């Protein structure tokens, strides 16, 4: 929805996935490739083989000093998907990589929405959210070129789950799991997620006994 791929065809779209080796990134790369998009993904050195195996057209090691040059050379992009927690405040540094006059967008999954409501209350918090979203768009000048900075959220809709199930059954998505923790080690599992730099998802095994 945030990337307009629900309404516009994905085939041929150029998408940059920041953080391609994490839980969301590994799924996003495979889904985008299944839908016909051209995917460029970033990850650290030790994850390049994993991300290549997911079908990314180009994998860029973001730890290398010339990584931004490589990102630019592979662009420009219809969508930049931030799954690495960079956020909308740092998103403007990628503004030049977006296509002009094509409704391109930088989408981050890290937003201050809930934190603003918690800190300022429902009304003031939503006003703060509006400002936090508007300011990056104005500061980058993206709106003048029909581009935008957006926040993305998970929508647990039946259609979404059916699509993921279909792609998995067709072998177009392979769930990547870094480690399975027993139910008794949930705190350790959360701590691992909190540390970041995941290689796929963290799963919890719940015994039926």
């Amino acid at each position: 929805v945030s990337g307009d791929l629900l309404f516009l065809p994905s085939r041929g779209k150029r998408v940059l996935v920041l953080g391609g080796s994490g839980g969301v990134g590994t799924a996003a790369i495979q889904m985008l490739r299944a839908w016909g998009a051209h995917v460029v993904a970033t990850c650290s050195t030790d994850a390049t083989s994993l991300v290549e195996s997911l079908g990314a057209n180009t994998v860029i090691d973001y730890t290398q000093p010339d990584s931004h040059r490589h990102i630019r050379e592979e662009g420009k992009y219809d969508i930049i998907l931030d799954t690495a927690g960079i956020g909308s405040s740092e998103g403007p540094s990628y503004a030049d990589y977006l296509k002009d006059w094509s409704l391109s967008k930088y989408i981050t999954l890290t937003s201050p929405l809930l934190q603003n409501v918690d800190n300022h209350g429902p009304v003031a918090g939503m006003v703060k959210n509006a400002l936090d979203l508007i300011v990056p768009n104005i500061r980058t000048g993206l709106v003048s070129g029909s581009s935008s900075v957006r926040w993305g959220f998970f929508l647990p809709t039946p259609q979404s789950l059916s699509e993921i199930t279909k792609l998995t059954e067709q072998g177009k998505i392979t769930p990547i799991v870094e480690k399975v923790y027993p139910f008794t080690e949930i705190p350790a599992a959360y701590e691992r997620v909190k540390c970041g730099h995941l290689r796929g998802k963290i799963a919890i095994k719940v015994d039926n006994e």
Side-chain angles (χ1 to χ4, degrees):
V1 174
S2 297
D4 296 329
L5 299 183
L6 181 66
F7 317 105
L8 301 174
S10 305
R11 187 162 300 279
K13 297 284 187 184
R14 298 186 65 85
V15 183
L16 171 63
V17 178
L18 303 174
S21 62
V24 177
T26 53
I29 290 171
Q30 295 179 83
M31 293 180 73
L32 287 163
R33 290 294 293 134
W35 295 338
H38 181 99
V39 179
V40 177
T42 67
C43 63
S44 59
T45 307
D46 63 342
T48 54
S49 296
L50 168 63
V51 176
E52 287 173 351
S53 72
L54 300 175
N57 298 92
T58 303
V59 180
I60 298 174
D61 182 352
Y62 72 82
T63 67
Q64 298 301 309
D66 58 351
S67 61
H68 275 269
R69 178 176 63 82
H70 287 163
I71 291 173
R72 181 183 294 276
E73 289 174 348
E74 290 292 333
K76 291 188 170 185
Y77 303 95
D78 297 284
I79 297 173
I80 297 177
L81 177 62
D82 165 32
T83 71
I86 295 172
S88 54
S89 61
E90 295 298 323
S93 63
Y94 290 88
D96 289 341
Y97 304 152
L98 290 169
K99 290 182 179 179
D100 296 322
W101 305 109
S102 63
L103 299 177
S104 59
K105 63 276 300 178
Y106 170 91
I107 304 169
T108 179
L109 306 183
T110 304
S111 82
L113 190 146
L114 294 178
Q115 184 178 359
N116 283 340
V117 172
D118 288 342
N119 292 341
H120 305 286
V123 177
M126 293 310 294
V127 172
K128 181 73 164 56
N129 283 326
L131 291 174
D132 286 347
L133 190 56
I134 291 172
V135 169
N137 279 285
I138 295 177
R139 182 154 53 92
T140 58
L142 284 174
V143 290
S144 64
S146 80
S147 301
S148 59
V149 175
R150 301 184 181 186
W151 296 341
F153 302 94
F154 172 66
L155 299 175
T157 63
Q159 294 87 345
S160 299
L161 297 177
S162 295
E163 177 69 9
I164 292 173
T165 300
K166 180 187 73 174
L167 294 177
T168 303
E169 290 175 343
Q170 293 175 348
K172 295 180 178 179
I173 292 181
T174 299
I176 307 299
V177 179
E178 177 181 295
K179 184 176 180 179
V180 178
Y181 287 81
F183 187 77
T184 54
E185 295 183 14
I186 284 182
Y190 273 101
E191 188 61 31
R192 176 64 189 95
V193 172
K194 185 178 178 181
C195 290
H197 299 286
L198 295 171
R199 300 294 176 260
K201 285 288 190 182
I202 293 297
I204 304 296
K205 186 177 187 302
V206 180
D207 293 327
N208 294 326
E209 300 177 358

